[in-house]
Amino acid sequence: AIWPCSLCQRRATSGAAEEHRRQGNDHYRRGELDDAIAAYSKAISTKPKEGALWLHRSIAYRQKEDWDQAERDAARAVELQPQNEKAVYGRALALNKLGRTPEALIVCNDFLKSDPDNKPLLQLRKNMEQAEKPLADRQGGGKLRETSKPNSAANMHDIDYSKWTKFEDSDDEQREDRAATKWQGKNPTLEERVGMTEQMLEVSRGHAEEAAVLFPNSRIPENVKLPPDYNGPVGVLNISQLSKFNSNHSRQLVSIYGDVFDVSKRPDQYGCGGPKAFQTGRDITWSVITGKETPENCNRFYDIFKLDDDHCGRYLQLLCQKMVAFENEFGEPVGRLENFIDERDLPPAPIEEIEECKQQ
């Protein structure tokens, strides 16, 4: 078989995301908001760093008046595209609807510093200020209500774990070719999975120093000869395609929870004879969860969201800490592993191994 070039693989990833986005837009125009959100979520799963996709989903949530979800997605879009005025507007609007008007005003004012003539944001700010003034007058002193400061350390790293108990089962992706015995337990929707993972990643990035302690790096070698396509995009890979990028290849790739990283700059760890050479060309998700880094625990695919809330939360935290450690050392992921695109179809983790795992 002819191995596709990196440009072709990148086009494949973009093509899949674009198709899901197009489907989402079609559903949105027809007023099928839940279907639109599901389609946008698939697109995000394929290209999680594409700010426009998060904005599309935020707008769909806005139409449902789900302001919490709308604000979260808009905030992610702003993080990825700070100059996207629609994302900034959407976040400020959602914050205001949530009763967090002082934060919404800060969002508006920060953007207006660089674009002082932005009419939509100027009008939104004016409306919020007019609405706040009578309330402040009634409370006395003409001062706005005191609220917690946005982006404070307490808010930034605070996870509402009550959300783990509110997952809804979704049958929007049933397939006729599934096995006769279908999982009947908890099976969160794709958007819930992406949302919880992004929230946990945000916390882990905020605790980057802690992640470095948990997953320390050895001395980085100097003068490493990197392959010409180092850190180039590879698109969506299946297991067979990923396996080609092993320690014998000029380029080494490792997958963790579906994010594929280029680890070629660490031949001391991942090259032939390195202590982690067995991880190259493989997915290491289950080995990270169990703490047993062995070849036998690579390429084992389970759905951690089907576990009880305690295990699900702890295992997701372990994975996100590891992913952030990889981001810090190797940069952004260069691709996605196909197995995690439809994570909801994966079986639950084996209970006997869960009970053996002692990591906290």
Side-chain angles (χ1 to χ4, degrees):
I2 299 176
W3 181 249
C5 67
S6 61
L7 178 60
C8 293
Q9 294 168 40
R10 180 171 59 186
R11 286 174 176 168
T13 304
S14 299
E18 176 61 23
E19 175 61 20
H20 291 311
R21 185 198 64 79
R22 184 191 62 77
Q23 292 174 0
N25 289 348
D26 290 342
H27 286 303
Y28 182 86
R29 282 192 288 268
R30 293 194 293 266
E32 300 163 351
L33 297 179
D34 288 337
D35 290 333
I37 289 170
Y40 292 142
S41 297
K42 289 181 179 180
I44 289 170
S45 178
T46 304
K47 294 192 71 177
K49 305 299 182 182
E50 186 66 45
L53 299 176
W54 292 91
L55 176 58
H56 279 304
R57 198 174 72 172
S58 175
I59 294 173
Y61 278 126
R62 189 195 309 172
Q63 291 301 310
K64 292 187 66 176
E65 297 187 356
D66 187 340
W67 298 111
D68 182 66
Q69 297 275 14
E71 190 277 329
R72 187 193 68 198
D73 280 4
R76 182 60 173 155
V78 172
E79 180 183 350
L80 294 168
Q81 297 178 335
Q83 299 306 311
N84 188 324
E85 63 179 79
K86 292 182 179 179
V88 174
Y89 180 93
R91 188 183 180 210
L93 178 63
L95 285 169
N96 184 50
K97 292 291 186 178
L98 290 168
R100 297 158 60 184
T101 304
E103 294 178 57
L105 288 169
I106 291 174
V107 170
C108 285
N109 290 332
D110 285 347
F111 190 84
L112 288 169
K113 291 176 183 177
S114 59
D115 187 5
D117 297 323
N118 189 289
K119 292 183 179 180
L121 282 172
L122 286 171
Q123 184 62 49
L124 178 60
R125 183 178 68 177
K126 180 180 178 181
N127 293 343
M128 290 189 294
E129 289 174 339
Q130 289 177 343
E132 280 288 285
K133 189 176 186 304
L135 178 60
D137 291 342
R138 288 197 302 271
Q139 293 177 340
K143 295 181 179 180
L144 296 177
R145 290 169 293 172
E146 292 185 0
T147 61
S148 58
K149 293 182 180 180
N151 298 325
S152 66
N155 290 334
M156 180 177 181
H157 304 306
D158 185 32
I159 296 180
D160 181 7
Y161 283 98
S162 65
K163 292 183 180 181
W164 294 105
T165 63
K166 297 180 182 178
F167 284 136
E168 298 178 357
D169 294 340
S170 174
D171 295 325
D172 58 352
E173 298 176 28
Q174 290 186 5
R175 295 181 180 180
E176 295 180 358
D177 59 347
R178 285 183 184 171
T181 302
K182 182 182 175 182
W183 173 253
Q184 297 296 328
K186 184 180 70 176
N187 199 0
T189 61
L190 183 58
E191 56 267 27
E192 289 172 324
R193 294 163 181 267
V194 173
M196 282 295 177
T197 302
E198 285 297 321
Q199 188 178 20
M200 190 69 80
L201 280 171
E202 181 181 354
V203 172
S204 297
R205 292 184 183 111
H207 293 157
E209 292 183 2
E210 179 182 341
V213 172
L214 289 170
F215 306 103
N217 297 321
S218 58
R219 183 180 179 85
I220 299 177
E222 299 178 356
N223 301 321
V224 174
K225 184 178 180 181
L226 298 173
D229 52 353
Y230 173 68
N231 256 350
V234 297
V236 178
L237 303 178
N238 59 36
I239 282 295
S240 176
Q241 292 169 329
L242 177 63
S243 68
K244 299 178 185 296
F245 295 96
N246 55 42
S247 60
N248 294 314
H249 196 274
S250 61
R251 186 182 186 189
Q252 292 84 46
L253 301 182
V254 173
S255 167
I256 173 169
Y257 199 34
D259 276 354
V260 179
F261 292 89
D262 192 330
V263 299
S264 303
K265 74 174 187 178
R266 294 301 304 270
D268 59 316
Q269 294 289 312
Y270 299 96
C272 287
K276 299 182 180 180
F278 70 90
Q279 297 182 358
T280 59
R282 294 175 173 176
D283 178 83
I284 64 172
T285 301
W286 188 242
S287 68
V288 172
I289 289 175
T290 61
K292 302 174 182 177
E293 296 191 1
T294 64
E296 293 74 22
N297 281 322
C298 294
N299 289 350
R300 296 184 61 184
F301 304 104
Y302 304 110
D303 183 358
I304 64 172
F305 282 94
K306 291 189 175 84
L307 302 178
D308 62 87
D309 296 339
D310 177 61
H311 282 94
C312 179
R314 289 193 289 119
Y315 291 171
L316 185 61
Q317 183 179 16
L318 285 170
L319 290 174
C320 288
Q321 286 175 337
K322 185 69 168 179
M323 292 164 71
V324 169
F326 266 52
E327 286 179 359
N328 290 340
E329 184 170 9
F330 302 113
E332 294 289 329
V334 298
R336 286 285 291 170
L337 189 62
E338 185 179 60
N339 300 66
F340 289 95
I341 298 297
D342 292 318
E343 183 185 15
R344 297 182 72 248
D345 292 340
L346 296 175
I351 190 65
E352 64 276 7
E353 294 191 39
I354 296 174
E355 293 173 345
E356 289 177 4
C357 182
K358 304 299 182 183
Q359 295 196 49
Q360 299 295 324

